[in-house]
Amino acid sequence: MHLARFPRRRYTPNPTPLEPLPALSAALGGPELWVKRDDLLGLAAGGNKTRKLEFLVADALAQGADTLITVGAVQSNHCRLTLAAAVKEGLKCQLVLEQRVPGSYREDASGNNFLYQLLGVERVQVVDAGTDLAAAMQGLADELAAQGRKAYVIPGGGSTPLGALGYVACAEEIMDQSFELGVAFDHMVASSGSGGTHAGLLAGLHGVNANLPLTGVSVRAARAPQEEKIHGLAQAAANLLGVRSPVPRELVEVVDDYVGPGYSLPTASMVEAVQLFARHEGILLDPVYTGKTAAGLIGMVRAGRFAPGERVLFLHTGGSPALYAYEDVILGRTPA
Ligand SMILES: *Cc1c(COP(=O)(O)O)cnc(C)c1O
């Protein structure tokens, strides 16, 4: 793979840390757990969207855009980071926020919503679930075009083949660090949402023949459609890179047992995971993605999915600002 052929902006100066989790591993009594700290990526408060935006914003700049338009849920990390990238590049940013849970948008909410205001979002349009989001974004882009401006539209989560290259790069980074540290991994666990992260990792691990099984923990969709989506996107990213052999379907594994009542809705196992990471390792997860993904990791450890001597790498994709919109449930003041 030859990623240097793709224009890229740099938002993180160094590789993110790859760290052992000794106290958590001891508490769970299972395999040796490690974490890839992509919560420490650059741009405001970091997170996985930063890697995708390095490629997407480079493309926007190459096309002469003056405004980024994107879409996300009401507490979207992706919207926060797209806005932060726009600020850094001297671009404007407009957001379409989808109320995936009816009535969930509150203008005065904390967490990422507060950060949209602080970072100086130009415009927020709130729409109900089921709205044609691509059309809503195109509507904003058309309004700007009528004013002589030029928008670049980024689909939800930045999960296009180009955006997924950010996680192809992460797969290469992990393999380099693993080699430098002399630590080989037996399994990897990551969130599977809009899919660019899971699909990019898969394309990258396949492209370098890593032979490192990857489990995606779904935060929204059911297993079968999510696996189809991930396979399609991983193949599209591999095609963009010119990887010759097809991405095998059997490399795609999604578990959907940790979604609970729905996207962004708290579960008891998410609350436990957030508390375990905080109290054993001093690491902040988030309620919507990494809390549920870590609940999946912990559930698989307890179910004996990994042998005791194995090394399992958890990808921390960020998101901690959303904690501040869920304080009561995370501290157990209201039940999950
Ligand atoms: C968006 C997001 C994810 C999911 O990544 P996708 O590429 O959308 O699947 C995971 N964790 C956090 C914190 C996120 O913001």
Side-chain angles (χ1 to χ4, degrees), residues 36-41 46-49 77 81 167 190-191 197 201 285-286 289-290 293 314-320:
K36 174 67 172 166
R37 297 291 306 271
D38 269 13
D39 55 320
L40 302 179
L41 287 165
N48 62 343
K49 305 311 178 309
N77 302 304
L81 287 166
Y167 272 87
S191 279
T197 304
L201 283 174
L285 299 180
D286 84 283
Y289 295 96
T290 55
T293 305
F314 172 74
L315 176 68
H316 190 337
T317 43
S320 69

Side-chain angles (χ1 to χ4, degrees), residues 272-295:
E272 185 203 14
V274 171
Q275 291 183 355
L276 283 173
F277 269 72
R279 294 173 185 177
H280 287 288
E281 299 289 348
I283 292 176
L284 302 181
L285 299 180
D286 84 283
V288 180
Y289 295 96
T290 55
K292 287 183 178 175
T293 305

